[in-house]
Amino acid sequence: MKSLPIKLIFVGLLLLGCKNKVEKEPQVWHTKKMAQENVVHNQLLEIEKEQGWQLLFDGKTLNGWHLYNKPDSTHLSAWEVRDGTLFCDATDENKVFGDLVTDTAYENYELVFDWQMALRGNGGVFINVQEAPEFTATYQTGPEYQLLEPAHSDTKTPLKRAGCLWGISPQINKVEAKPTGQWNTSRIVQQDGQIEFYLNGKLTAKEDLNSPAWAQKVAVSNFAENPDFGKATQGKIALQNWYFEVQFRNIKIRELL
């Protein structure tokens, strides 16, 4: 039997190697695809539980939340659980209008949540909200973490961009919110009156609510006529119902010492 030429043997081995490589690549892709499709939301990892994290939304109910100053109307409000998200159907005028607030007040904590807005949507998350008959709205006492879909015209206004402390200070680091259909991740940290806002991993606001500088900023803002705005360093967390559909998931908090 005649032996095969060395060049032919080399080409054969090369083709065989390429075939094996092609066969292996779909397996890696398939594994990644499966992992993405099976991501679990609104649950804590064991390490998170050990670190003190608690869920503020269980993915199934509105437990732990109520309508601001109207707790008996929460089940009639625009807020509902839809496909594992905390959803605000703000376009339904038959629903009771109002912001959703936590049952519990918090002081020193780290809060993390995912969110997305409808096209050109506008909303917010308020901290240190005081719930009492003399206050008719959450914004009268609580500073706001701005939520904004990038197609909204307010994106062009420095004091109204996503992630900023609305009406008080512009973004410290410029960052764009993701458009409707994509999830953003936000983080709020408060310790002894010092607050930090983050959007998609970047610091966007930093203030000391006990400082003269903060008092001065409030005095020249639109909140000057609200004497109790930004005074408290402890209070409830509120999600704004502001005429636009908004979704939340993976809302978790851990109290800081």
Side-chain angles (χ1 to χ4, degrees):
M1 179 183 292
K2 293 183 178 180
S3 60
L4 294 174
I6 294 178
K7 287 186 177 180
L8 184 59
I9 295 175
F10 176 76
V11 172
L13 292 174
L14 182 62
L15 291 174
L16 181 61
C18 291
K19 181 181 179 181
N20 290 337
K21 183 178 180 181
V22 171
E23 289 178 349
K24 289 180 181 180
E25 285 180 347
Q27 295 177 0
V28 175
W29 174 84
H30 184 67
T31 301
K32 181 179 180 181
K33 182 172 182 290
M34 288 287 290
Q36 291 174 336
E37 291 178 347
N38 289 279
V39 171
V40 178
H41 298 290
N42 307 310
Q43 293 187 26
L44 294 176
L45 301 173
E46 288 302 318
I47 184 63
E48 291 178 311
K49 295 178 183 178
E50 294 175 6
Q51 293 172 341
W53 289 98
Q54 295 180 323
L55 286 177
L56 286 184
F57 171 57
D58 61 16
K60 301 176 182 178
T61 70
L62 295 181
N63 291 348
W65 298 84
H66 65 273
L67 211 59
Y68 182 76
N69 275 345
K70 302 174 185 176
D72 295 336
S73 301
T74 302
H75 65 292
L76 302 174
S77 75
W79 296 94
E80 61 182 84
V81 178
R82 183 181 295 186
D83 299 326
T85 71
L86 184 51
F87 183 84
C88 184
D89 185 9
T91 60
D92 189 344
E93 296 182 357
N94 294 317
K95 301 288 188 178
V96 176
F97 181 89
D99 295 348
L100 199 65
V101 300
T102 55
D103 294 344
T104 304
Y106 299 92
E107 185 172 11
N108 298 322
Y109 60 88
E110 180 178 3
L111 172 71
V112 177
F113 56 94
D114 296 338
W115 61 276
Q116 62 168 290
M117 303 286 302
L119 182 65
R120 292 184 287 278
N122 186 342
V125 173
F126 299 90
I127 62 173
N128 302 331
V129 171
Q130 305 301 298
E131 189 173 24
E134 61 265 31
F135 304 121
T136 59
T138 56
Y139 64 79
Q140 292 179 341
T141 58
E144 178 185 359
Y145 181 112
Q146 170 76 323
L147 306 182
L148 198 70
E149 204 277 333
H152 194 288
S153 59
D154 281 354
T155 298
K156 300 177 182 179
T157 304
L159 295 183
K160 297 181 179 181
R161 288 177 58 81
C164 77
L165 205 165
W166 191 93
I168 299 291
S169 58
Q171 290 181 343
I172 292 177
N173 298 297
K174 188 175 180 180
V175 55
E176 301 296 333
K178 297 178 182 178
T180 185
Q182 298 184 38
W183 289 95
N184 295 276
T185 297
S186 293
R187 179 170 165 248
I188 298 174
V189 180
Q190 176 169 264
Q191 181 98 53
D192 300 327
Q194 298 184 51
I195 59 174
E196 295 178 350
F197 290 175
Y198 295 83
L199 174 60
N200 296 328
K202 289 189 177 181
L203 179 68
T204 50
K206 186 175 183 179
E207 296 288 349
D208 184 349
L209 304 185
N210 295 315
S211 69
W214 169 253
Q216 180 59 33
K217 289 181 180 180
V218 173
V220 297
S221 74
N222 292 334
F223 300 103
E225 59 187 32
N226 296 316
D228 294 288
F229 174 80
K231 294 288 182 64
T233 57
Q234 182 263 10
K236 297 180 178 180
I237 297 164
L239 310 180
Q240 188 178 40
N241 176 357
W242 194 247
Y243 311 108
F244 300 94
E245 292 182 351
V246 60
Q247 299 178 69
F248 295 90
R249 72 182 185 190
N250 300 328
I251 311 174
K252 58 187 179 181
I253 193 170
R254 66 170 176 173
E255 297 192 61
L256 304 175
L257 300 178

